[in-house]
Amino acid sequence: MAGTMTVKLETRNQHRCFDGVQSYYQHHSEIIGLPMRFSVYEPPQVQEAGGQRLPVLFFLAGLTCTEETFMIKAGAQRYAAELGLILVSMDTSPRNTGIPGEADDWEFGTGAGFYLDATESPWSRYFHMESYVTRELYDIILDRFPVDPERVGIFGHSMGGHGALTLALRHPGHYRSVSAFAPIAAPTQCLWGQKAFSRYLGESPANWRKHDATALIESGCRLPIPLIDQGLNDPFLKDQLHPGYFEAACQQAGQSVILRRHAGYDHSYFFISTFIEDHLRHHYTWLTSNGQ
Amino acid sequence: MAGTMTVKLETRNQHRCFDGVQSYYQHHSEIIGLPMRFSVYEPPQVQEAGGQRLPVLFFLAGLTCTEETFMIKAGAQRYAAELGLILVSMDTSPRNTGIPGEADDWEFGTGAGFYLDATESPWSRYFHMESYVTRELYDIILDRFPVDPERVGIFGHSMGGHGALTLALRHPGHYRSVSAFAPIAAPTQCLWGQKAFSRYLGESPANWRKHDATALIESGCRLPIPLIDQGLNDPFLKDQLHPGYFEAACQQAGQSVILRRHAGYDHSYFFISTFIEDHLRHHYTWLTSNGQ
């Protein structure tokens, strides 16, 4: 813990939703050195629980998204309210860093932080999304919201599905439940990942593999059985996502995985909203049992 | 019917959603004289029904919204898929008319068609949203989608709640079920309505009253019992919406109305998403019974 009880959280908006509260916050991030925004949905059990701490799920969004996207489009609050889950989402990169060209490209830079800590200049100055999500924001949520630190899950979409898998693999014990929608499951083997990793991490293949879910499985890392949903009409499936590579690596390594392929579904939040209930129930089951 | 079987519908996007299909269309509107966009959600029963025609609900969105807003934010598809309802939404005004200043103001002109046919120049050239919704789009939907013409409902939000109430009152028999979220329920008595009506309709109070739900009730018009939800933390409640005026007029006139006031809820789609299930069930009940 980094003394986050004193972090100043600016409440940007609050909305009542399914008898809970949807909030948007901004704060100065010590790790990034700039303002960052995140969103929290607190279900009605927060008021009712009488001091009881609730499970929390961190949702990592995809390329071009913000801390608002998931909360607006996924329809998750209904199930969070039913199950008593706190939901957290965050922006997908630092913004307004002043780095030339930061927003020239929708798949790199602004809106495309890839949930890693950049080591290459100029990006290494601000692009520390892994530390932000796993340390600074994690601590803020655990300190400032009625969260049970033993019941923390992570999930995400596309670039954020990559983030959910890799952060769970790289921080064992941090996240007790994991799921993903259409994750970039082998980023070292697709153009999105190669472009981002070469500029954020340099050219060393060994460094790339530390942020590739498939390679991490091959390297011996393990994670709670992830639920992964993939639409078969997803325009990015063939060239960018490669969930089958991840599945094969898991099979080879003896890591259980639930990969569901859905005919007709694409990469949009219409796909996510269809299966969001299953994901929240998956996390709920893992976080309220002993993970068996 | 206006021979809409030959209208060319350009499919802009389609997404699988809850085993149904979410579609966005554009077409040349004869009534407006410009391209118009609308959205349709077809539940899975469209494929299963074997020729059976389904109930349809028209959703009218609020100021600044488009044909996409409701479909993205309300979370309605889940319940439409369960109940077997087709959903339709449309843009909130003509766009790119070339009228000077059309988009200078968020509460008038572009995105603010108020679901009426303008009589005053220059707006009368294109702003014919009442005829578009009740005739042209209505006919397209009934001709081109597997809809039961005897089971058509209408609902909306804010300006679109005004639209739902007034169109149901002005077109008896057209809509068999009605509901609204935070409607502008007495537009002649609020600044939003006064500004729009004076510019679209001129200065005659008699013409204004033909497009004011409260005044229409006072004038003897009736509608199927509407379900109206209103958040008590809605920033527009006090000055713009006036659901209590509508309720009082209904009580005076012997028109039944269900007006529910919800502590803590505001004007956003977080409010709508919380109560959308109740609205779809309200319509379903009215459209699949004899409206008792």
Side-chain angles (χ1 to χ4, degrees), chain A residues 14-20 22 24 71-73 77-79 263-266 268 270-271 273-274 277, chain B residues 14-20 22 24 71-73 77-79 263-266 268 270-271 273-274 277:
Chain A
Q14 287 192 314
H15 309 274
R16 196 161 183 81
C17 184
F18 287 99
D19 283 338
Q22 177 65 55
Y24 295 105
M71 297 300 185
I72 289 173
K73 293 186 172 183
Q77 290 91 345
R78 180 211 148 110
Y79 308 106
Y265 285 89
D266 63 18
S268 70
F270 293 113
F271 158 63
S273 69
T274 302
E277 177 177 4
Chain B
Q14 287 193 314
H15 309 273
R16 196 160 184 82
C17 185
F18 287 99
D19 283 339
Q22 177 65 54
Y24 295 105
M71 297 299 185
I72 290 174
K73 295 186 172 182
Q77 290 91 346
R78 182 212 147 109
Y79 309 106
Y265 285 89
D266 62 20
S268 71
F270 294 113
F271 157 62
S273 69
T274 302
E277 177 177 3

Side-chain angles (χ1 to χ4, degrees), chain A residues 218-272:
Chain A
E218 291 169 351
S219 303
C221 296
R222 296 292 177 266
L223 77 175
I225 298 176
L227 169 62
I228 300 176
D229 278 317
Q230 174 63 57
L232 293 180
N233 201 30
D234 184 327
F236 305 116
L237 173 55
K238 181 168 171 291
D239 293 331
Q240 304 289 355
L241 303 176
H242 298 314
Y245 295 1
F246 181 76
E247 183 184 42
C250 286
Q251 285 174 345
Q252 184 74 20
Q255 163 73 53
S256 295
V257 58
I258 306 163
L259 172 56
R260 310 191 303 183
R261 295 172 169 90
H262 301 282
Y265 285 89
D266 63 18
H267 201 67
S268 70
Y269 273 80
F270 293 113
F271 158 63
I272 294 176

Side-chain angles (χ1 to χ4, degrees), chain A residues 197-223:
Chain A
F197 285 12
S198 64
R199 297 173 76 178
Y200 288 138
L201 299 173
E203 297 302 335
S204 159
N207 286 340
W208 288 23
R209 288 176 59 82
K210 294 177 186 168
H211 298 277
D212 177 303
T214 300
L216 286 163
I217 293 287
E218 291 169 351
S219 303
C221 296
R222 296 292 177 266
L223 77 175

